[in-house]
Amino acid sequence: MLRIRLLLLCVFLCWSPTISIIDDFNQLRITFRTWEQSIAMAKSFINQLTLEEKCHLTAGVGGTCAGNIASLVRVNFSGFCLQDTPSGVGDGVLYSTTFASGIHIAATWDRDLFYRRAVAIGKEFRGKGVHYAFGPMINIDRNARHGRNWEGFGSDPYLSGENAYFYTQGIQDQGVIATAKHYICNEQDTHRSGVMKGDNDPIVYSANLDDKTMHEIYLWPFASSVAAGVGSIMCSANEINETRACQNNKTQNDLLKGELGYLGNILTDWMGAKSTIDPILSGLDIDMPGTDGYMGDVLVKFVQNGSIPQSRIDDMVIRIIAPYYLVGQDQNYPTIDLDRNVMGNNYLINREISRAGMILLKNINNILPLNSSMNTNIYIYGQAAGQTNCGLEQTAWNTNCGGALYQGGGSGFVRPSYAIDPLTALMQKGRENHFQIRYITNQNDFVSINRTFHDRAFENVICLVFISAWSEEGIDRTDLYTFDNGEQLVLTVAENCYQTIVLVNSVSQLNLERWIDHPNVVGTIWTGMPGSEYGYALVDILFGDYNPGGKLVFSLAKNDSDFGTDISFIGDSNYTEGVFLDYRHFDKYNITPRYYFGYGLSYTNFSFNQLNISQVNNDDNQNSPSSIYKQRRIRLYNNFGYSGLYDPIYTITCIIKNIGKFYGSEVVQLYLNFPIEAQEPLKILRGFQRVYLEVNQSKQVALVLTRKDISYWNVINQQWIIAHGKYTVWISTSANNADIKLQGSFNI
Ligand SMILES: *[C@@H]1O[C@H](CO)[C@@H](O)[C@H](O)[C@H]1NC(C)=O
Ligand SMILES: *[C@@H]1O[C@H](CO)[C@@H](O)[C@H](O)[C@H]1NC(C)=O
Ligand SMILES: *[C@@H]1O[C@H](CO)[C@@H](O)[C@H](O)[C@H]1NC(C)=O
Ligand SMILES: *[C@@H]1O[C@H](CO)[C@@H](O)[C@H](O)[C@H]1NC(C)=O
Ligand SMILES: *[C@@H]1O[C@H](CO)[C@@H](O)[C@H](O)[C@H]1NC(C)=O
Ligand SMILES: *[C@@H]1O[C@H](CO)[C@@H](O)[C@H](O)[C@H]1NC(C)=O
Ligand SMILES: *[C@@H]1O[C@H](CO)[C@@H](O)[C@H](O)[C@H]1NC(C)=O
Ligand SMILES: *[C@@H]1O[C@H](CO)[C@@H](O)[C@H](O)[C@H]1NC(C)=O
Ligand SMILES: *[C@@H]1O[C@H](CO)[C@@H](O)[C@H](O)[C@H]1NC(C)=O
Ligand SMILES: *[C@@H]1O[C@H](CO)[C@@H](O)[C@H](O)[C@H]1NC(C)=O
Ligand SMILES: *[C@@H]1O[C@H](CO)[C@@H](O)[C@H](O)[C@H]1NC(C)=O
């Protein structure tokens, strides 16, 4: 027993240096509550309501916010304000920070940053008096062309789940209710039947998938969000197995409220309700925006004639009110003023995330970082280097606009109050360091572009070529190429400039094949969807003030068809690939992508040693907080259920050392190979830690495998089951087998 206690103590202590979560938790002095306490308070609140008042709360009403739950003056209830987005306060409000988007924070692979970004976002929602923040967006990047991939966290459920957890906690720690979305299987926007395309689309796509795939891929991040204690979940516009998400008894009542033990409310994506009785009996609690008349006041008659039980209405209203008590919105919540300036110094964390999520893809002969006293002659090409022609408030794409992209479009877009494009930041750097800069942002002006190659100055020049790819809600991408033939621009410059560096400003997957192997393309940085500090963040990386350490959150295929999944243009979207998505699919069919999931270079190098796998004995601390999450931070509002799924079972440690010449970081990635019984892909991501190290410094990294991490969904038993046999553990720096650094195993 003593040995076990020491081990646990060590697990805790050995962790603290690498976790270092900056936790200004509860500076607000909020009294958070448990779900049990909040539900009890909600019950006594609704006891004073009439049936009319209860029904009134179940649908949105008109108001200042994107969604509004009405006030009840009689009982001193001031209503709720609900607002987009997952990456800052959106819907066109003023004085709001345009944060690096979901796909970009995921690429940091840094839980500390996941949390700090969410705290900063939560502060802005709270500061403006918003009660519900619509996020996290946790649909899986199943289709490379999905227009909303930039809002989410990539193609892997574990990575997405960790993001979901820390995002939810960061938001709710500010007293704001997080809203996980879009539940569920909203992996394309074509025929999703949402508000953006009108409701007159006769085809609504149905995501058809089996039970194992549902649990292990698409439900996984929602489960993490529920464990974090999320107060609200938004059902999606599409169908699952031919039944609409917002009236799907199986997904809502069975999976979410039943199996996951979810105690919060379900609200519709805009116009997601299509009738009254079916959605309500299938678990829907709130109709948004509420103007369609399916729910709200009309429910009084349905209760009176017995077609909806009174108990269901009470359950709905308890679920609507409980989250309010859960995160302490009854205590000094700010009044609503959407244009209130609440940005504070959030640009600082935004810049940190922006550079932490950029990914160094190619760096021949260490061309990067540039030396600001040597590489002073800089030519800049491409529309994506500079500002847009259309102003910063464009939420939808217009081919005349161009310009650097800070986020994608649609309801997830946050109107920037300012934004620093790369050209502006390079100009500033140039002033300080006496650069000679030339730029051409009209990328179709090949006459002028060609002329630059004959400049007197075109000698020992560094050519920076900026390319971009945009997408937005409501529309999926037509291909995986860049805007305005950026590929041709790269090739034209590379033909003439032997030090060409390409900067890729993209919403999600891109096909790089037309230019990536060009011998003059000596450097490539994936700049992602980096938010309004883009230019400064990039310059930090280009000149070595920041050592890049971001990692891909999807693979980049050589051929679009290699992904094996695509948008469906007919009614069915059959998820026939099952759990074989992205790297799991590439492994299965032995396909080599251009760059693997998890890949990204650094200016320094690392060594890995001393893999150790040890079993955690839970008998010793059965009555104490013991999950991986609980060991980090526990909140009263968490909801782990009683399943023990998040209890740690194994601790995996190794030692990582910086053996290069720069301070920098590596993401230690744990891939697991399951026994045959589990019928899993060759390897599955089940742990990661981003470690920052000084030159010559080494650290022990401790990764934890929870019960859920080593289980598979057994469709017969309808349970998570630990398989019997040998589990292989790989410590790697990407999903590429060639990047595996350490290997071990355990038997069960
Ligand atoms: C109404 O609620 C506010 C806070 O939301 C509180 O300050 C006030 O005392 C309440 N008034 C009554 C009559 O309960
Ligand atoms: C969808 O149908 C498949 C195949 O019948 C089944 O395995 C799965 O559980 C169903 N899922 C839902 C959410 O209805
Ligand atoms: C809806 O799901 C619940 C929970 O699984 C189940 O008890 C109930 O029978 C289902 N209702 C229908 C109509 O299928
Ligand atoms: C109950 O009332 C609603 C609303 O008036 C009506 O649409 C529905 O048909 C009624 N159902 C029955 C069984 O009377
Ligand atoms: C940059 O180049 C200058 C001049 O050659 C050299 O002195 C300096 O050490 C270089 N800086 C770095 C960081 O390599
Ligand atoms: C620019 O130069 C390339 C060769 O590098 C040539 O193929 C192309 O035709 C030229 N374009 C124009 C408009 O001169
Ligand atoms: C990409 O794959 C498709 C379908 O497998 C094939 O027809 C095409 O030739 C491939 N393209 C390249 C460039 O390999
Ligand atoms: C999807 O699966 C259903 C049921 O198996 C089948 O009827 C339909 O044809 C499939 N659709 C496509 C596009 O494969
Ligand atoms: C890291 O090591 C690889 C091969 O071991 C080498 O090619 C590369 O130049 C090194 N990178 C740095 C930044 O030292
Ligand atoms: C592995 O961890 C166990 C438990 O902490 C410890 O007893 C053992 O010495 C470690 N082995 C190595 C090689 O570090
Ligand atoms: C790192 O270690 C090497 C080899 O021991 C040594 O030469 C070098 O000075 C050390 N660098 C730093 C910054 O400590």
PDB file of all heavy atoms in Angstrom, residues 422-435:
ATOM      1  N   PRO A 422       0.405  39.667 -42.140  1.00  0.00           N
ATOM      2  CA  PRO A 422       1.841  39.416 -42.187  1.00  0.00           C
ATOM      3  C   PRO A 422       2.642  40.574 -42.793  1.00  0.00           C
ATOM      4  O   PRO A 422       3.716  40.905 -42.305  1.00  0.00           O
ATOM      5  CB  PRO A 422       1.940  38.168 -43.072  1.00  0.00           C
ATOM      6  CG  PRO A 422       0.643  37.466 -42.874  1.00  0.00           C
ATOM      7  CD  PRO A 422      -0.378  38.557 -42.715  1.00  0.00           C
ATOM      8  N   LEU A 423       2.112  41.173 -43.841  1.00  0.00           N
ATOM      9  CA  LEU A 423       2.850  42.255 -44.500  1.00  0.00           C
ATOM     10  C   LEU A 423       3.107  43.411 -43.530  1.00  0.00           C
ATOM     11  O   LEU A 423       4.223  43.932 -43.441  1.00  0.00           O
ATOM     12  CB  LEU A 423       2.058  42.728 -45.734  1.00  0.00           C
ATOM     13  CG  LEU A 423       2.730  43.769 -46.619  1.00  0.00           C
ATOM     14  CD1 LEU A 423       4.103  43.313 -47.078  1.00  0.00           C
ATOM     15  CD2 LEU A 423       1.838  44.063 -47.828  1.00  0.00           C
ATOM     16  N   THR A 424       2.082  43.781 -42.792  1.00  0.00           N
ATOM     17  CA  THR A 424       2.224  44.869 -41.813  1.00  0.00           C
ATOM     18  C   THR A 424       3.287  44.518 -40.772  1.00  0.00           C
ATOM     19  O   THR A 424       4.142  45.344 -40.440  1.00  0.00           O
ATOM     20  CB  THR A 424       0.869  45.123 -41.124  1.00  0.00           C
ATOM     21  OG1 THR A 424      -0.072  45.510 -42.118  1.00  0.00           O
ATOM     22  CG2 THR A 424       0.969  46.195 -40.054  1.00  0.00           C
ATOM     23  N   ALA A 425       3.244  43.287 -40.284  1.00  0.00           N
ATOM     24  CA  ALA A 425       4.196  42.877 -39.253  1.00  0.00           C
ATOM     25  C   ALA A 425       5.614  42.805 -39.809  1.00  0.00           C
ATOM     26  O   ALA A 425       6.579  43.173 -39.130  1.00  0.00           O
ATOM     27  CB  ALA A 425       3.786  41.526 -38.672  1.00  0.00           C
ATOM     28  N   LEU A 426       5.739  42.375 -41.070  1.00  0.00           N
ATOM     29  CA  LEU A 426       7.073  42.316 -41.686  1.00  0.00           C
ATOM     30  C   LEU A 426       7.628  43.722 -41.911  1.00  0.00           C
ATOM     31  O   LEU A 426       8.836  43.963 -41.767  1.00  0.00           O
ATOM     32  CB  LEU A 426       7.011  41.540 -43.006  1.00  0.00           C
ATOM     33  CG  LEU A 426       6.923  40.020 -42.830  1.00  0.00           C
ATOM     34  CD1 LEU A 426       6.382  39.344 -44.095  1.00  0.00           C
ATOM     35  CD2 LEU A 426       8.289  39.430 -42.463  1.00  0.00           C
ATOM     36  N   MET A 427       6.749  44.650 -42.249  1.00  0.00           N
ATOM     37  CA  MET A 427       7.180  46.043 -42.412  1.00  0.00           C
ATOM     38  C   MET A 427       7.745  46.584 -41.098  1.00  0.00           C
ATOM     39  O   MET A 427       8.763  47.267 -41.072  1.00  0.00           O
ATOM     40  CB  MET A 427       5.989  46.919 -42.831  1.00  0.00           C
ATOM     41  CG  MET A 427       5.450  46.607 -44.203  1.00  0.00           C
ATOM     42  SD  MET A 427       6.533  47.217 -45.509  1.00  0.00           S
ATOM     43  CE  MET A 427       5.475  46.913 -46.926  1.00  0.00           C
ATOM     44  N   GLN A 428       7.055  46.270 -40.008  1.00  0.00           N
ATOM     45  CA  GLN A 428       7.528  46.738 -38.699  1.00  0.00           C
ATOM     46  C   GLN A 428       8.871  46.107 -38.356  1.00  0.00           C
ATOM     47  O   GLN A 428       9.780  46.786 -37.882  1.00  0.00           O
ATOM     48  CB  GLN A 428       6.505  46.398 -37.617  1.00  0.00           C
ATOM     49  CG  GLN A 428       5.274  47.284 -37.698  1.00  0.00           C
ATOM     50  CD  GLN A 428       4.329  47.057 -36.529  1.00  0.00           C
ATOM     51  OE1 GLN A 428       4.724  46.519 -35.496  1.00  0.00           O
ATOM     52  NE2 GLN A 428       3.087  47.470 -36.695  1.00  0.00           N
ATOM     53  N   LYS A 429       8.974  44.810 -38.622  1.00  0.00           N
ATOM     54  CA  LYS A 429      10.236  44.115 -38.374  1.00  0.00           C
ATOM     55  C   LYS A 429      11.331  44.733 -39.244  1.00  0.00           C
ATOM     56  O   LYS A 429      12.490  44.900 -38.812  1.00  0.00           O
ATOM     57  CB  LYS A 429      10.063  42.628 -38.704  1.00  0.00           C
ATOM     58  CG  LYS A 429      11.264  41.764 -38.395  1.00  0.00           C
ATOM     59  CD  LYS A 429      11.366  41.452 -36.921  1.00  0.00           C
ATOM     60  CE  LYS A 429      12.531  40.524 -36.632  1.00  0.00           C
ATOM     61  NZ  LYS A 429      12.702  40.311 -35.186  1.00  0.00           N
ATOM     62  N   GLY A 430      10.968  45.087 -40.455  1.00  0.00           N
ATOM     63  CA  GLY A 430      11.914  45.667 -41.397  1.00  0.00           C
ATOM     64  C   GLY A 430      12.404  47.040 -40.957  1.00  0.00           C
ATOM     65  O   GLY A 430      13.576  47.381 -41.172  1.00  0.00           O
ATOM     66  N   ARG A 431      11.544  47.797 -40.356  1.00  0.00           N
ATOM     67  CA  ARG A 431      11.962  49.117 -39.880  1.00  0.00           C
ATOM     68  C   ARG A 431      13.030  48.972 -38.798  1.00  0.00           C
ATOM     69  O   ARG A 431      14.053  49.635 -38.816  1.00  0.00           O
ATOM     70  CB  ARG A 431      10.748  49.860 -39.311  1.00  0.00           C
ATOM     71  CG  ARG A 431      11.098  51.258 -38.816  1.00  0.00           C
ATOM     72  CD  ARG A 431       9.903  51.932 -38.185  1.00  0.00           C
ATOM     73  NE  ARG A 431       9.452  51.218 -37.008  1.00  0.00           N
ATOM     74  CZ  ARG A 431       8.317  51.467 -36.362  1.00  0.00           C
ATOM     75  NH1 ARG A 431       7.505  52.396 -36.786  1.00  0.00           N
ATOM     76  NH2 ARG A 431       7.993  50.771 -35.297  1.00  0.00           N
ATOM     77  N   GLU A 432      12.793  48.029 -37.873  1.00  0.00           N
ATOM     78  CA  GLU A 432      13.732  47.831 -36.769  1.00  0.00           C
ATOM     79  C   GLU A 432      15.061  47.252 -37.257  1.00  0.00           C
ATOM     80  O   GLU A 432      16.108  47.544 -36.694  1.00  0.00           O
ATOM     81  CB  GLU A 432      13.147  46.857 -35.735  1.00  0.00           C
ATOM     82  CG  GLU A 432      11.964  47.411 -34.969  1.00  0.00           C
ATOM     83  CD  GLU A 432      11.105  46.297 -34.370  1.00  0.00           C
ATOM     84  OE1 GLU A 432      11.590  45.150 -34.250  1.00  0.00           O
ATOM     85  OE2 GLU A 432       9.925  46.585 -34.058  1.00  0.00           O
ATOM     86  N   ASN A 433      14.988  46.412 -38.285  1.00  0.00           N
ATOM     87  CA  ASN A 433      16.183  45.654 -38.687  1.00  0.00           C
ATOM     88  C   ASN A 433      16.744  46.040 -40.044  1.00  0.00           C
ATOM     89  O   ASN A 433      17.584  45.336 -40.592  1.00  0.00           O
ATOM     90  CB  ASN A 433      15.862  44.157 -38.665  1.00  0.00           C
ATOM     91  CG  ASN A 433      15.587  43.660 -37.264  1.00  0.00           C
ATOM     92  OD1 ASN A 433      16.505  43.334 -36.533  1.00  0.00           O
ATOM     93  ND2 ASN A 433      14.317  43.643 -36.878  1.00  0.00           N
ATOM     94  N   HIS A 434      16.230  47.139 -40.599  1.00  0.00           N
ATOM     95  CA  HIS A 434      16.755  47.659 -41.857  1.00  0.00           C
ATOM     96  C   HIS A 434      16.657  46.648 -42.999  1.00  0.00           C
ATOM     97  O   HIS A 434      17.631  46.326 -43.659  1.00  0.00           O
ATOM     98  CB  HIS A 434      18.218  48.110 -41.677  1.00  0.00           C
ATOM     99  CG  HIS A 434      18.373  49.143 -40.612  1.00  0.00           C
ATOM    100  ND1 HIS A 434      19.490  49.905 -40.452  1.00  0.00           N
ATOM    101  CD2 HIS A 434      17.537  49.558 -39.631  1.00  0.00           C
ATOM    102  CE1 HIS A 434      19.345  50.725 -39.434  1.00  0.00           C
ATOM    103  NE2 HIS A 434      18.153  50.519 -38.917  1.00  0.00           N
ATOM    104  N   PHE A 435      15.448  46.143 -43.186  1.00  0.00           N
ATOM    105  CA  PHE A 435      15.202  45.229 -44.313  1.00  0.00           C
ATOM    106  C   PHE A 435      14.998  46.030 -45.586  1.00  0.00           C
ATOM    107  O   PHE A 435      14.578  47.191 -45.546  1.00  0.00           O
ATOM    108  CB  PHE A 435      13.909  44.412 -44.111  1.00  0.00           C
ATOM    109  CG  PHE A 435      13.952  43.384 -43.022  1.00  0.00           C
ATOM    110  CD1 PHE A 435      12.782  42.701 -42.663  1.00  0.00           C
ATOM    111  CD2 PHE A 435      15.134  43.067 -42.354  1.00  0.00           C
ATOM    112  CE1 PHE A 435      12.791  41.739 -41.676  1.00  0.00           C
ATOM    113  CE2 PHE A 435      15.136  42.097 -41.348  1.00  0.00           C
ATOM    114  CZ  PHE A 435      13.960  41.442 -41.014  1.00  0.00           C
TER     115      PHE A 435
END
